Amino acid sequence: MTDFKRDGSHLAYCPPVEKWDDWVELDPESWPKRVEKHYQLVPTVCFNCESACGLLAYVNRASGKIEKFEGNPRHPASRGRLCAKGPATINQIHDPDRILYPMKRSGPRGAGKWTRTSWDEVLETFGGRIRQAIQAGRGNEVMYHVGRPGHDFIMDRTLQAWGIDGHNSHTNVCSSSARLGYLLWHYADRPSPDPANARFILLLSAHLESGHYFNPHAQRIIEGKMAGAKLAVMDPRLSNTASMADYWLPSYPGTEAAVLLAMAKVILDENRFDAAFVKDWTNWEELEIDGFHAKGRSFESAMEALKKHYARFTPQFAASESGVKSEVIVQIAREIAAAGSRFASHLWRGSASGNLGGWQSARALTLLHALTGSIGTEGGHNLNSWNKFVPRPFRVPPPQKHWNELLYPREWPLSTHEMSFLLPHFLKEGRGHVEAYFTRVFNPVWTYPDGFSWIEMLRDEGKIGLHAALTPTWNETAVFADYVLPMGFSSERHDLMSQESYAGQWIGFRQPVNRVLRERAGQKFEYTYQANPGEVWEEDEFWINLSWAIDPDGSMGIRQYFESPDRPGEKLTVDEYYGWMFEHSVPGLPEAASKEGLTALQYMRKYGAFEVTRDVYKRNETPLTSLDLAGASVAPNGVIGKQGKSMGVMLGGKPVVGYNTPSRKLELFSRTIADWKWPEFALPEYYRSHIHKAAQSAAMGEAPEDFDPRYTPCVVWPRDARGEVYTLLPIFRLPNLIHTRSGNAKFLYEISHKNPLWMNPADANKIGGVRTGELVKVHTEIGYFVLHAWVTEGLAPGVVACSHHLGRWRLNEDDQIERMSSAFVDLKQVGNGQWKMRQVQPVSSYETSDPDTHRVWWGDAGVHQNLTFPVHPDPVSGMHCWHQLVRVEKALPEDRYGDIFVDTNLSFAVYERWKALARPGPGPDGLRRPLWMPRAVRPEDSAYYVKK
Ligand code: SF4
């Protein structure tokens, strides 16, 4: 029994592992009586963002009920700390309106009528349809479309076992733009910064409040700051992150690359760059700029050519583009140079995802790292591929032989990920058909731009044959599916997670808490849904069983990958799948486990996480062994190749592995971009976004001389659009909401349930003196939405902003999408492609088995904006460019809060205008995309070539 002391000295920040089996706390509800509560603590991994922080489920030993979630101190990335969304998992698992059983629609798609069905029926139906498609050579008509991934490798393995090119993702509405910028430099498509050890930190994302790998990164940024690092934040909005900074740089959106290149110019001109690093580790010898060819020339002459090339990026030019003062740009450039190898930064969404050409922000930012020699260093910029650890499972299938042009069409050969947000437009153009469609924790009707085009596609059985929504919660897309299949939250499923949270590698193990505890007590379960609430399942077992349903007798060659490694011909279990991997593919784990007399699987079930390595720096300098070099040759430029592929580079006369780029060096000059029809972007550059002031003038019929229609499509508003022109920033996240998965997290919705339009007072005055709380109407190119204004000086003039995450709706009055987070709406198709939505009933209290639903005091569900956005595919990266040029006016008497109107004919026209900017493949040698560029689930090399 714990000795409770009045001075509080018994209090622990996190319960130590040795007390996890019987952790004792006083019951707060029994106060002032001192009643003890005994818990068993079971580790799992949070599912409420990509960070994968470690959770501890507190299971009441008396009732067997999970009562709360707190942080797992043994998790190396989150170290016992969580954001608000982690503990809110308790709301999700006890939500009285959650989906508990597999459901099948019983009326037309979208009519909201459902009946309960069985997992066997689901497996039989989908197994049969997929088997037929594969056997008829139509395997590419099977598509898996993932929103929140949350596990590594198992889905890739499944799709490759089926032999299909069917992996689609949400990445091109999220991060593919920044990924391209990083990828072109060093092949790794994400940075892994080391802010805890940095001297200067520059953020172009809201990393302290909501960014990628938010909690693990945020705590390390603060550590760096507490140790004396300075923090600069470039963001037009005075975000919570900017409010913590030493320097807030409120740049005009889309001009970030100009500011970064001006900093690079200062560092170059003042010779503050790390010449030895640039000489050794960039491919400066390949520079071909402005008539200068570096081949055979000196390093110094190449640097002079570089200085000349960037001469136009004076701090004054950057200031006039961005609004950031030139002296601040110079000062920060010097501080970055002084930090040298201890300069850390991050950019993920923000400027990269909002803007046409946003990928150049990541490229320009990495140029600062190359110049300061801060790549691969302690306190610098590392590579995600060095810090993320994905163990290989047993028996990996070969890559698929096919290429699916619905995923990677020819127009965008350099897109880092699938052109997923254009699926409705591709099907409208007659490019294909999807026979079996799985959406996984994915809600494109709500999260994607142009959601009404998604509804039109999903309702059309000629386009989508059979659709299953695998989801833990109701969402606006699931209501248009044929099947809604309940999948578990953090404490109800297995997954293996790893992220680049710091300069080390770790794995985290998500596990179904009830099943684990009951199996510890001696019970046996064939499937996780037998231990979960209702029949909530998990994907791992679903895919294993579906694969058996597709290939019941093994004759298609699929079943073999889903058979036990130890029991020939028997069905694989999750214990066998993970147990094999932990035992064979995670260095150090079996040894750590055996020290405690455990198997590797038992160790992971006990601790929930394992650190594989730490202090991972300079992987590029890893020496090649004589074994590696057998049969290899060295080209005149020092690149070491074997069997037609580069594998290393000579550094100071020694063979090292280098980077995975064609030159094995950091690619200051991208031959790839030049060869794939964008030679003007072979170096990091800046070009104006679609929301630049020049584009605004062009949209008003006054195109300035410097408006270049080769890069920028002209905005055309509907004829009845009125009001002043602004740039709308629609993608900032609220730190405590989870895209569309917080609808059943009452703690979170109580905190955040409004998304007004941020407006600078000067802009509010321009449209008739709008005040906070008054209604404004925002016109996009395809429609409008109506919401409240919030007048604030926390935003630069000329820019308005509205947060992501809010504006949930439901089509059924009493169910399907939680009533505490959604407005009941009247949705009407009022003409061909014309849609109108009006909120009929706001949020209000209601009766369920949870007394808190009776206590709901807020009435706002927010207003949805993404429906009114047309698609904007960046011609190079393929990323949807989220920012919008809008016109804003005071709402008219007939307008009501939450009104939305959209014309999908107009959205299709915008799609065609943007598509026309692309420079389609094939590229050199008839390739669909460069062979060196990765894909999420990569087919065999032969599929990269267009068949003649
Ligand atoms: S940052 Fe928050 S939501 Fe994301 S995994 Fe960690 S606790 Fe969960």
Side-chain angles (χ1 to χ4, degrees), residues 79 194-201 218-231 244 246 339 342 378-379:
R79 305 182 290 193
D194 188 21
N197 297 305
R199 291 207 189 101
F200 196 91
I201 305 165
Q219 47 184 274
R220 290 170 172 86
I221 293 168
I222 292 299
E223 270 172 31
K225 234 175 113 57
M226 288 170 71
K230 286 223 180 129
L231 174 66
M244 297 291 287
D246 299 286
R342 290 185 184 267
E378 189 170 358

mmCIF file of all heavy atoms in Angstrom, residues 79 194-201 218-231 244 246 339 342 378-379:
data_model
loop_
_atom_site.group_PDB
_atom_site.id
_atom_site.type_symbol
_atom_site.label_atom_id
_atom_site.label_comp_id
_atom_site.label_asym_id
_atom_site.label_seq_id
_atom_site.Cartn_x
_atom_site.Cartn_y
_atom_site.Cartn_z
ATOM 1 N N ARG A 79 8.351 10.433 -23.429
ATOM 2 C CA ARG A 79 8.926 10.493 -22.090
ATOM 3 C C ARG A 79 7.889 10.812 -21.004
ATOM 4 O O ARG A 79 8.117 11.624 -20.108
ATOM 5 C CB ARG A 79 10.074 11.513 -22.062
ATOM 6 C CG ARG A 79 11.124 11.226 -23.112
ATOM 7 C CD ARG A 79 12.277 12.182 -23.068
ATOM 8 N NE ARG A 79 11.926 13.527 -23.495
ATOM 9 C CZ ARG A 79 12.814 14.479 -23.773
ATOM 10 N NH1 ARG A 79 14.092 14.232 -23.678
ATOM 11 N NH2 ARG A 79 12.441 15.682 -24.139
ATOM 12 N N ASP A 194 17.165 18.445 -34.493
ATOM 13 C CA ASP A 194 17.682 18.142 -33.150
ATOM 14 C C ASP A 194 17.679 19.428 -32.317
ATOM 15 O O ASP A 194 18.728 19.907 -31.887
ATOM 16 C CB ASP A 194 19.102 17.573 -33.296
ATOM 17 C CG ASP A 194 19.665 17.051 -31.983
ATOM 18 O OD1 ASP A 194 18.878 16.746 -31.065
ATOM 19 O OD2 ASP A 194 20.903 16.975 -31.869
ATOM 20 N N PRO A 195 16.488 19.994 -32.070
ATOM 21 C CA PRO A 195 16.433 21.319 -31.441
ATOM 22 C C PRO A 195 16.953 21.318 -30.009
ATOM 23 O O PRO A 195 17.418 22.347 -29.528
ATOM 24 C CB PRO A 195 14.943 21.679 -31.477
ATOM 25 C CG PRO A 195 14.237 20.374 -31.575
ATOM 26 C CD PRO A 195 15.148 19.479 -32.351
ATOM 27 N N ALA A 196 16.916 20.174 -29.326
ATOM 28 C CA ALA A 196 17.360 20.140 -27.927
ATOM 29 C C ALA A 196 18.826 20.543 -27.820
ATOM 30 O O ALA A 196 19.263 21.063 -26.793
ATOM 31 C CB ALA A 196 17.152 18.745 -27.349
ATOM 32 N N ASN A 197 19.593 20.300 -28.892
ATOM 33 C CA ASN A 197 21.029 20.598 -28.860
ATOM 34 C C ASN A 197 21.410 21.768 -29.765
ATOM 35 O O ASN A 197 22.582 21.947 -30.092
ATOM 36 C CB ASN A 197 21.820 19.351 -29.290
ATOM 37 C CG ASN A 197 21.590 18.210 -28.324
ATOM 38 O OD1 ASN A 197 21.811 18.369 -27.128
ATOM 39 N ND2 ASN A 197 21.103 17.076 -28.807
ATOM 40 N N ALA A 198 20.392 22.514 -30.213
ATOM 41 C CA ALA A 198 20.658 23.585 -31.178
ATOM 42 C C ALA A 198 21.004 24.898 -30.480
ATOM 43 O O ALA A 198 20.701 25.089 -29.299
ATOM 44 C CB ALA A 198 19.430 23.779 -32.064
ATOM 45 N N ARG A 199 21.610 25.796 -31.263
ATOM 46 C CA ARG A 199 21.841 27.157 -30.763
ATOM 47 C C ARG A 199 20.863 28.140 -31.387
ATOM 48 O O ARG A 199 20.602 29.196 -30.849
ATOM 49 C CB ARG A 199 23.266 27.610 -31.089
ATOM 50 C CG ARG A 199 24.300 26.861 -30.316
ATOM 51 C CD ARG A 199 25.580 27.678 -30.112
ATOM 52 N NE ARG A 199 26.591 26.810 -29.544
ATOM 53 C CZ ARG A 199 27.574 26.262 -30.246
ATOM 54 N NH1 ARG A 199 27.702 26.508 -31.529
ATOM 55 N NH2 ARG A 199 28.455 25.468 -29.662
ATOM 56 N N PHE A 200 20.372 27.786 -32.582
ATOM 57 C CA PHE A 200 19.357 28.635 -33.219
ATOM 58 C C PHE A 200 18.324 27.714 -33.858
ATOM 59 O O PHE A 200 18.680 26.741 -34.531
ATOM 60 C CB PHE A 200 19.972 29.560 -34.281
ATOM 61 C CG PHE A 200 19.050 30.681 -34.667
ATOM 62 C CD1 PHE A 200 19.093 31.897 -33.999
ATOM 63 C CD2 PHE A 200 18.095 30.517 -35.668
ATOM 64 C CE1 PHE A 200 18.212 32.931 -34.330
ATOM 65 C CE2 PHE A 200 17.216 31.530 -36.001
ATOM 66 C CZ PHE A 200 17.283 32.750 -35.328
ATOM 67 N N ILE A 201 17.034 28.044 -33.645
ATOM 68 C CA ILE A 201 15.943 27.211 -34.171
ATOM 69 C C ILE A 201 15.031 28.102 -35.001
ATOM 70 O O ILE A 201 14.601 29.160 -34.540
ATOM 71 C CB ILE A 201 15.121 26.577 -33.016
ATOM 72 C CG1 ILE A 201 16.039 25.801 -32.064
ATOM 73 C CG2 ILE A 201 14.021 25.670 -33.563
ATOM 74 C CD1 ILE A 201 15.380 25.466 -30.726
ATOM 75 N N ALA A 218 7.957 19.423 -29.499
ATOM 76 C CA ALA A 218 7.755 20.646 -28.710
ATOM 77 C C ALA A 218 8.598 20.601 -27.439
ATOM 78 O O ALA A 218 9.233 21.583 -27.063
ATOM 79 C CB ALA A 218 6.276 20.811 -28.370
ATOM 80 N N GLN A 219 8.623 19.450 -26.781
ATOM 81 C CA GLN A 219 9.391 19.391 -25.522
ATOM 82 C C GLN A 219 10.883 19.566 -25.780
ATOM 83 O O GLN A 219 11.604 20.131 -24.956
ATOM 84 C CB GLN A 219 9.097 18.122 -24.726
ATOM 85 C CG GLN A 219 9.113 16.837 -25.496
ATOM 86 C CD GLN A 219 8.724 15.633 -24.633
ATOM 87 O OE1 GLN A 219 9.573 15.058 -23.984
ATOM 88 N NE2 GLN A 219 7.462 15.243 -24.661
ATOM 89 N N ARG A 220 11.348 19.135 -26.939
ATOM 90 C CA ARG A 220 12.783 19.282 -27.241
ATOM 91 C C ARG A 220 13.112 20.703 -27.710
ATOM 92 O O ARG A 220 14.227 21.191 -27.498
ATOM 93 C CB ARG A 220 13.202 18.225 -28.260
ATOM 94 C CG ARG A 220 13.186 16.842 -27.613
ATOM 95 C CD ARG A 220 13.362 15.704 -28.578
ATOM 96 N NE ARG A 220 13.525 14.451 -27.861
ATOM 97 C CZ ARG A 220 12.517 13.674 -27.436
ATOM 98 N NH1 ARG A 220 11.262 14.020 -27.691
ATOM 99 N NH2 ARG A 220 12.752 12.555 -26.766
ATOM 100 N N ILE A 221 12.167 21.360 -28.356
ATOM 101 C CA ILE A 221 12.385 22.769 -28.728
ATOM 102 C C ILE A 221 12.516 23.604 -27.443
ATOM 103 O O ILE A 221 13.401 24.456 -27.322
ATOM 104 C CB ILE A 221 11.223 23.292 -29.614
ATOM 105 C CG1 ILE A 221 11.247 22.580 -30.973
ATOM 106 C CG2 ILE A 221 11.319 24.804 -29.802
ATOM 107 C CD1 ILE A 221 10.002 22.793 -31.804
ATOM 108 N N ILE A 222 11.651 23.323 -26.496
ATOM 109 C CA ILE A 222 11.713 24.080 -25.231
ATOM 110 C C ILE A 222 13.009 23.759 -24.483
ATOM 111 O O ILE A 222 13.635 24.653 -23.900
ATOM 112 C CB ILE A 222 10.460 23.773 -24.367
ATOM 113 C CG1 ILE A 222 9.219 24.349 -25.043
ATOM 114 C CG2 ILE A 222 10.625 24.333 -22.955
ATOM 115 C CD1 ILE A 222 9.229 25.867 -25.228
ATOM 116 N N GLU A 223 13.436 22.517 -24.545
ATOM 117 C CA GLU A 223 14.728 22.171 -23.921
ATOM 118 C C GLU A 223 15.850 22.993 -24.539
ATOM 119 O O GLU A 223 16.716 23.517 -23.842
ATOM 120 C CB GLU A 223 15.051 20.694 -24.143
ATOM 121 C CG GLU A 223 14.522 19.792 -23.053
ATOM 122 C CD GLU A 223 14.700 18.332 -23.405
ATOM 123 O OE1 GLU A 223 15.673 17.978 -24.109
ATOM 124 O OE2 GLU A 223 13.839 17.559 -22.992
ATOM 125 N N GLY A 224 15.841 23.074 -25.867
ATOM 126 C CA GLY A 224 16.866 23.866 -26.563
ATOM 127 C C GLY A 224 16.801 25.321 -26.126
ATOM 128 O O GLY A 224 17.820 25.952 -25.838
ATOM 129 N N LYS A 225 15.588 25.830 -26.050
ATOM 130 C CA LYS A 225 15.412 27.235 -25.635
ATOM 131 C C LYS A 225 15.915 27.440 -24.204
ATOM 132 O O LYS A 225 16.578 28.427 -23.897
ATOM 133 C CB LYS A 225 13.913 27.576 -25.718
ATOM 134 C CG LYS A 225 13.620 28.805 -26.557
ATOM 135 C CD LYS A 225 12.136 29.022 -26.698
ATOM 136 C CE LYS A 225 11.657 30.278 -25.993
ATOM 137 N NZ LYS A 225 12.276 31.518 -26.389
ATOM 138 N N MET A 226 15.604 26.508 -23.330
ATOM 139 C CA MET A 226 16.041 26.657 -21.935
ATOM 140 C C MET A 226 17.559 26.577 -21.813
ATOM 141 O O MET A 226 18.148 27.131 -20.881
ATOM 142 C CB MET A 226 15.374 25.589 -21.058
ATOM 143 C CG MET A 226 13.886 25.893 -20.854
ATOM 144 S SD MET A 226 12.998 24.570 -20.094
ATOM 145 C CE MET A 226 13.610 24.631 -18.440
ATOM 146 N N ALA A 227 18.179 25.913 -22.793
ATOM 147 C CA ALA A 227 19.645 25.830 -22.759
ATOM 148 C C ALA A 227 20.278 27.017 -23.483
ATOM 149 O O ALA A 227 21.493 27.039 -23.688
ATOM 150 C CB ALA A 227 20.092 24.523 -23.406
ATOM 151 N N GLY A 228 19.449 27.956 -23.940
ATOM 152 C CA GLY A 228 19.996 29.185 -24.501
ATOM 153 C C GLY A 228 19.799 29.375 -25.988
ATOM 154 O O GLY A 228 20.231 30.396 -26.529
ATOM 155 N N ALA A 229 19.168 28.413 -26.666
ATOM 156 C CA ALA A 229 18.956 28.587 -28.112
ATOM 157 C C ALA A 229 17.959 29.703 -28.353
ATOM 158 O O ALA A 229 17.030 29.903 -27.564
ATOM 159 C CB ALA A 229 18.439 27.292 -28.721
ATOM 160 N N LYS A 230 18.135 30.405 -29.450
ATOM 161 C CA LYS A 230 17.143 31.406 -29.844
ATOM 162 C C LYS A 230 16.152 30.762 -30.805
ATOM 163 O O LYS A 230 16.515 29.866 -31.574
ATOM 164 C CB LYS A 230 17.828 32.581 -30.522
ATOM 165 C CG LYS A 230 18.556 33.459 -29.545
ATOM 166 C CD LYS A 230 18.296 34.915 -29.886
ATOM 167 C CE LYS A 230 19.016 35.800 -28.899
ATOM 168 N NZ LYS A 230 19.810 36.803 -29.585
ATOM 169 N N LEU A 231 14.919 31.258 -30.749
ATOM 170 C CA LEU A 231 13.849 30.690 -31.577
ATOM 171 C C LEU A 231 13.270 31.786 -32.464
ATOM 172 O O LEU A 231 12.902 32.858 -31.975
ATOM 173 C CB LEU A 231 12.756 30.118 -30.666
ATOM 174 C CG LEU A 231 11.483 29.605 -31.348
ATOM 175 C CD1 LEU A 231 11.774 28.384 -32.218
ATOM 176 C CD2 LEU A 231 10.424 29.239 -30.307
ATOM 177 N N MET A 244 5.940 32.409 -28.424
ATOM 178 C CA MET A 244 7.052 31.920 -27.601
ATOM 179 C C MET A 244 8.412 32.263 -28.217
ATOM 180 O O MET A 244 9.457 31.882 -27.683
ATOM 181 C CB MET A 244 6.977 30.388 -27.464
ATOM 182 C CG MET A 244 5.755 29.861 -26.760
ATOM 183 S SD MET A 244 5.767 30.277 -25.021
ATOM 184 C CE MET A 244 7.037 29.178 -24.429
ATOM 185 N N ASP A 246 11.729 34.313 -29.981
ATOM 186 C CA ASP A 246 12.539 35.518 -29.835
ATOM 187 C C ASP A 246 12.303 36.449 -31.013
ATOM 188 O O ASP A 246 12.416 37.654 -30.895
ATOM 189 C CB ASP A 246 14.026 35.137 -29.764
ATOM 190 C CG ASP A 246 14.305 34.243 -28.574
ATOM 191 O OD1 ASP A 246 14.307 34.757 -27.453
ATOM 192 O OD2 ASP A 246 14.480 33.020 -28.764
ATOM 193 N N ALA A 339 25.358 30.048 -35.444
ATOM 194 C CA ALA A 339 24.997 28.745 -34.844
ATOM 195 C C ALA A 339 25.698 27.608 -35.596
ATOM 196 O O ALA A 339 25.939 26.534 -35.045
ATOM 197 C CB ALA A 339 23.491 28.550 -34.863
ATOM 198 N N ARG A 342 24.981 23.840 -35.383
ATOM 199 C CA ARG A 342 23.899 23.694 -34.402
ATOM 200 C C ARG A 342 22.710 24.587 -34.763
ATOM 201 O O ARG A 342 22.145 25.284 -33.934
ATOM 202 C CB ARG A 342 24.399 24.000 -32.993
ATOM 203 C CG ARG A 342 25.341 22.920 -32.467
ATOM 204 C CD ARG A 342 25.729 23.166 -31.035
ATOM 205 N NE ARG A 342 26.698 22.198 -30.587
ATOM 206 C CZ ARG A 342 26.382 21.055 -29.975
ATOM 207 N NH1 ARG A 342 25.114 20.759 -29.732
ATOM 208 N NH2 ARG A 342 27.330 20.227 -29.605
ATOM 209 N N GLU A 378 24.918 17.150 -34.519
ATOM 210 C CA GLU A 378 24.267 17.364 -33.231
ATOM 211 C C GLU A 378 23.747 18.800 -33.210
ATOM 212 O O GLU A 378 24.476 19.743 -33.532
ATOM 213 C CB GLU A 378 25.285 17.154 -32.110
ATOM 214 C CG GLU A 378 24.635 17.157 -30.758
ATOM 215 C CD GLU A 378 25.603 16.702 -29.675
ATOM 216 O OE1 GLU A 378 26.763 16.349 -29.997
ATOM 217 O OE2 GLU A 378 25.177 16.695 -28.505
ATOM 218 N N GLY A 379 22.481 18.943 -32.890
ATOM 219 C CA GLY A 379 21.877 20.281 -32.873
ATOM 220 C C GLY A 379 21.471 20.773 -34.247
ATOM 221 O O GLY A 379 21.067 21.924 -34.388
#
